[in-house]
Amino acid sequence: MRIVLMGPPGAGKGTQAVKVAESLQVPHISTGEIFRANLAAGTPLGLEAKRYMEAGEYVPDEVTNSMVAARLAEDDAANGFILDGYPRTLAQVDELDRILAGLGMQLDSVVEITADTEEVVARLLNRAKEQGRADDTEEVIRRRMDVYAEQTAPLVAVYTEKGLLRKVDGMGTMDEVTQRLLAALGH
Ligand code: AMP
């Protein structure tokens, strides 16, 4: 199964992606996590991504696209994957199609986890307290929500048009949402 998981910051995308990937036995590929790992390791990619991440802005497409192309070409992605946090721009949608076509693959589904804005801001502020992520201050959280609305929300229409989009309600307990996701994916 080749799946893209979308949803606003704080909708539980990362947590759910891990669970769904476990159930379907495919790798969980999170661009945010790859950036954070590079940042922690002090690689050139991490240094390049840092200022964007800290401001709640998207890392430029050229940087993000080549990183994703390299990751999807790895052996473990051959039998499927859950992409978490990519694509996030219309240009990335086209790039993902190109990357997958080059690998002789195509997407099976795009799942959008929907969530109430105030609820997700509250969740993110809570996560900031627990994990101390640098991009979880209220100002940056609001910026990330705006960037999502401006640049990523339009992808919903594109994937609906392609006949790939499924919506899943992200409100409720973690297990309830996982069950809904698996059901939406036919499991
Ligand atoms: P996430 O963990 O998915 O919330 O991502 C954290 C941050 O990494 C985002 O706020 C962006 O700065 C950056 N990032 C992750 N995925 C992408 C992407 N597909 N395009 C551009 N920037 C990204």
Side-chain angles (χ1 to χ4, degrees), residues 9 13 30-33 35-36 49 52-54 56-61 64 68 84-89 92 127 133 135 144:
K13 203 165 34 82
S30 157
T31 43
E33 264 176 28
F35 282 132
R36 279 187 291 281
Y52 299 102
M53 295 176 76
E54 284 179 353
E57 305 292 337
Y58 288 166
V59 177
D61 282 345
T64 310
V68 171
D84 160 10
Y86 184 95
R88 263 172 148 113
T89 64
Q92 289 179 9
R127 181 171 83 185
R133 246 176 74 164
D135 57 353
R144 284 162 62 210

